[in-house]
Structures are given as structure tokens and as C-alpha cells.
Amino acid sequence: MTTSDNGDNGGIDQSVQAELDRLRGSIDNIDAAVVHMLAERFKYTQQVGHLKAAHHLPPADPARESRQITRLRELAESARLDPAFAEKLLNFIIAEVIRHHETIADGSAPRP
């Protein structure tokens, strides 16, 4: 929720509160979209993990990861987002993908 539950806005002008609520609503919508996009991304990376496991390929692909980091940093720059932040985010995602791939490779993950 973007405002307090008791309706008290702490003395903030109603027009300011309305603008805060509008902006926060947009942020909430974007957060929801990010979560859904990550879920969609992980559906595909799970499929990659099963394909790698079936063909005895390693869970990590450092060359691909490096290319992706470079690509994401360039996208971040063009979007006026801090490239270092974008790289940290991608590294976090990559680490999670590798963990999933390792789980799939050892046979403890169910097939989708």
C-alpha cells in the first residue's frame, strides 16, 4: 500500500499526496511487470538448464555471461541507467540461473 492504512497523510497537502500516490502507483505497476518479466526469463533459463543437463554441458557459460554483461551495460547507458548497477543486477540473476542449472544437472529439479 502506498499510503498509511489509517488515512493520516502526516499533514501533507492533498495535492502532494495525490501526486505521491499516482507516482507510487506507477512504481508498483513497474515492480509487478519486473517480477513477471523475471518469471518469464527464468522459464526460459530452466529450459536451457534441462537442455544443458541432457547434453552434459556445464551449468555456467562464462563467454556468454561476459557478452551479456557487455550488452546489458550498453543498454543501460542508452537508457540512462547506471551500467554498474545493471551489471550487478545481471550478475545476481546469472548466479541464480547457474544455481538452477546445477540443481537440474544433479537431477533434483523437476522437469517443467
Side-chain angles (χ1 to χ4, degrees):
M1 177 171 255
T2 57
T3 59
S4 62
D5 289 333
N6 64 9
D8 179 20
N9 67 4
I12 297 173
D13 181 90
Q14 284 185 339
S15 65
V16 172
Q17 187 63 52
E19 182 67 359
L20 277 172
D21 291 345
R22 183 188 71 77
L23 293 168
R24 289 173 175 164
S26 294
I27 291 167
D28 293 349
N29 289 338
I30 293 166
D31 288 346
V34 168
V35 167
H36 287 282
M37 292 300 296
L38 284 171
E40 188 71 11
R41 187 185 197 285
F42 279 109
K43 280 196 275 186
Y44 286 103
T45 61
Q46 292 286 347
Q47 292 176 33
V48 168
H50 285 284
L51 186 60
K52 284 181 170 185
H55 295 279
H56 308 289
L57 298 170
D61 184 345
R64 161 111 172 122
E65 294 156 18
S66 178
R67 287 191 307 273
Q68 285 298 93
I69 289 168
T70 298
R71 186 175 80 77
L72 195 70
R73 286 184 69 92
E74 290 169 358
L75 287 170
E77 285 179 22
S78 69
R80 294 187 170 153
L81 179 68
D82 179 4
F85 169 77
E87 183 174 344
K88 287 178 197 174
L89 178 61
L90 186 59
N91 281 326
F92 180 78
I93 292 168
I94 288 169
E96 186 67 6
V97 168
I98 291 169
R99 189 182 68 76
H100 290 175
H101 289 185
E102 290 168 344
T103 301
I104 292 166
D106 74 15
S108 60
R111 181 89 176 136

